Amino acid sequence: MKKHLDPTTLDFIRDLRLNNQREWFEKNRSRYEAARQDFISFLATLLEGAVSFEPALEGQQPKDLLFRIYRDVRFSNDKRPYKDHICAYMAEGGRKTINPGFYLHISPENQSFLAGGVWMPPAPELKAIRQEIDYNLKELEGLLHNPAFKKYFNGLQGEKLKTTPKGYDSDNPAIELLRHKSWNASHFFPDRVVTSDQFYDECLAAMEALKPINDFFLRPMQDLKAEEV
């Protein structure tokens, strides 16, 4: 069972940051493939452990959850061809779903993190989630104050509206949460943890602490799908 990442994986990403060019990458492709396989092996162990509290991950293949290392530079002023991190998304529906899940981001200099929640849902899902928050604020506040959640996460972050969302009053007790366009929670890992067996234990514990938050946001999204059928 692979319970940590090799230091060479972080070394590759660190070097890629300094040499983000196709010629360098091709010369170091074997290092990339080794780093990719290292991450896949760790994900396999992590998924096996996470199934105990997130059955939706049963049978998902680690390689299918990874994001490509190549950047889409078509509409960006930043023309660097490669991402400066390795990452994956674990959720019901797989990597491309809009469903809440677990995002694992590997980056050196203590910038690796695990995040959860829901990121920029489409308009119908956004409306449904806001309604869920409005109707069940006490439930969500209880989840955010759960000691297990607070051990790893400091509330919810995410892009917000500067104004009050349509259909809600500015004095709504949930207004700050309703202004969100994304609801995310993140926990960072120092490099020394990422390269030790502690990484598996900490990732798994953080994911389990996030699970009730993900479920809260998934519920209105599933209700919306059921209405469409």
Side-chain angles (χ1 to χ4, degrees):
M1 293 178 68
K2 179 74 171 175
K3 291 193 169 185
H4 65 271
L5 295 182
D6 292 336
T8 54
T9 294
L10 295 182
D11 289 341
F12 168 75
I13 301 171
R14 190 179 289 112
D15 290 346
L16 177 59
R17 283 181 177 173
L18 299 173
N19 303 276
N20 201 323
Q21 301 153 357
R22 287 186 175 83
E23 184 178 359
W24 181 90
F25 188 86
E26 287 305 321
K27 287 180 180 178
N28 289 271
R29 178 172 284 278
S30 61
R31 292 179 65 197
Y32 163 65
E33 294 296 346
R36 182 177 180 275
Q37 188 55 53
D38 185 41
F39 189 41
I40 287 174
S41 297
F42 174 76
L43 278 179
T45 303
L46 190 61
L47 288 167
E48 188 176 324
V51 164
S52 64
F53 56 83
E54 182 48 280
L57 300 180
E58 180 83 53
Q60 296 202 30
Q61 299 303 308
K63 64 181 178 62
D64 297 331
L65 305 178
L66 262 66
F67 288 94
R68 288 162 52 87
I69 192 73
Y70 308 100
R71 295 183 63 250
D72 185 350
V73 300
R74 290 173 299 171
F75 309 107
S76 174
N77 291 326
D78 182 355
K79 298 302 182 183
R80 290 177 301 166
Y82 307 105
K83 297 171 184 172
D84 59 0
H85 56 272
I86 297 176
C87 56
Y89 191 59
M90 299 163 276
E92 181 175 341
R95 172 173 56 85
K96 295 182 179 181
T97 185
I98 62 170
N99 288 335
F102 309 99
Y103 172 76
L104 185 58
H105 180 108
I106 303 300
S107 185
E109 319 309 338
N110 308 316
Q111 293 301 303
S112 297
F113 65 90
L114 177 87
V118 60
W119 185 78
M120 299 296 282
E125 286 77 9
L126 179 64
K127 182 179 180 181
I129 290 170
R130 284 183 174 145
Q131 185 179 75
E132 189 76 14
I133 293 171
D134 185 34
Y135 288 177
N136 296 292
L137 176 61
K138 292 297 183 185
E139 179 187 350
L140 180 55
E141 287 179 335
L143 296 176
L144 295 174
H145 286 93
N146 185 298
F149 178 80
K150 291 181 71 174
K151 179 179 178 181
Y152 291 97
F153 305 99
N154 182 25
L156 293 171
Q157 294 79 45
E159 188 176 341
K160 292 182 179 182
L161 293 171
K162 294 180 180 178
T163 57
T164 303
K166 186 177 179 181
Y168 296 98
D169 297 326
S170 60
D171 61 354
N172 187 303
I175 194 60
E176 287 307 314
L177 287 166
L178 293 171
R179 284 196 174 115
H180 280 255
K181 293 191 283 185
S182 289
W183 294 265
N184 310 119
S186 303
H187 175 75
F188 282 81
F189 302 99
D191 293 353
R192 61 176 174 77
V193 169
V194 173
T195 55
S196 77
D197 284 355
Q198 186 184 352
F199 189 42
Y200 168 78
D201 295 329
E202 292 290 296
C203 274
L204 207 61
M207 289 170 70
E208 189 166 10
L210 262 175
K211 165 72 171 166
I213 297 292
N214 282 347
D215 288 348
F216 180 90
F217 292 124
L218 181 60
R219 190 168 65 206
M221 297 172 76
Q222 289 180 326
D223 289 345
L224 189 65
K225 288 177 184 175
E227 291 172 5
E228 292 173 351
V229 174

